[in-house]
Amino acid sequence: VSELQFTTRFGKDETFVIHDNERVSLGTRKWPVITFNYTYGIKGLLGGDLEYHKVSLNMKQSIKMGTIGTSRYSLTAGYDFSNVPYPLLSVHLGNESVFFSTATFNLMNYFEFVSDSYVSFKYQHRFEGLLLNRVPLMRKLKWRLVGIANVLYGSTRQENIDIIPQTDELGEPVPGFNTLSNTPYIELGYGIENIFKIVRIDAYHRLTYLDNPNISKFAIKINFQFII
């Protein structure tokens, strides 16, 4: 495939730290950051076999809530206009590693779900010292509690499902893919960060699509982070 992508980003009242050619965003004061992306697959360019169009729109924001802590959300919607093989549709990012990632669904397997239209919502709330500071030992450790919720709605048109052949040239069955139904994919989590200043440990529970093969209904994930 050969692709061209156009991306535009709007952040009202966004603050940056600039040093030479480097620019780091410190976020906006009270408005979400909105990003629009358009992808055009060009048939015939550099051997590209397919022509297709895809769009996505993301809105994300960090909200300070005083003594309650800080919330951060990311809301994304996407639509694939063309009929193409499923690797070119929206393959939702799973995570089978021991490290959590805010960019993935942490209890979803790799290539588990594919959609041509979807809406995802990822939410994280940092309670700061609201709860753990009430415990004397925890106050000295300066650990911080985190709550997580990840939700995904999606669907796949029948014409995109029908593109997959039943067998390959050797007569072997061709693996298909899972589609999302009216039930959303949901995972909830909770964690503790600021362990030894850099370690964060999360526990995740998967609430839907529990009958899919080889899935994890619960997992402990770890990561390393520096919070300024």
Side-chain angles (χ1 to χ4, degrees), residues 4-27:
L4 290 177
Q5 288 195 4
F6 169 80
T7 301
T8 184
R9 182 177 181 277
F10 176 74
K12 181 177 173 59
D13 297 331
E14 190 170 13
T15 303
F16 293 92
V17 175
I18 301 175
H19 176 67
D20 294 332
N21 292 326
E22 297 181 8
R23 187 174 74 162
V24 178
S25 172
L26 299 181

Side-chain angles (χ1 to χ4, degrees), residues 144-201:
R144 299 292 182 258
L145 187 65
V146 182
I148 310 107
N150 296 324
V151 181
L152 172 67
Y153 281 92
S155 64
T156 307
R157 298 188 299 275
Q158 187 63 43
E159 49 265 37
N160 279 324
I161 297 175
D162 293 340
I163 289 177
I164 304 173
Q166 297 297 316
T167 59
D168 61 19
E169 63 274 12
L170 300 177
E172 298 294 331
V174 174
F177 59 88
N178 294 317
T179 61
L180 291 154
S181 63
N182 293 329
T183 301
Y185 173 88
I186 302 174
E187 62 182 25
L188 301 179
Y190 43 88
I192 296 177
E193 64 182 5
N194 204 39
I195 303 173
F196 305 120
K197 304 298 184 182
I198 61 171
V199 178
R200 172 171 160 178
I201 298 176

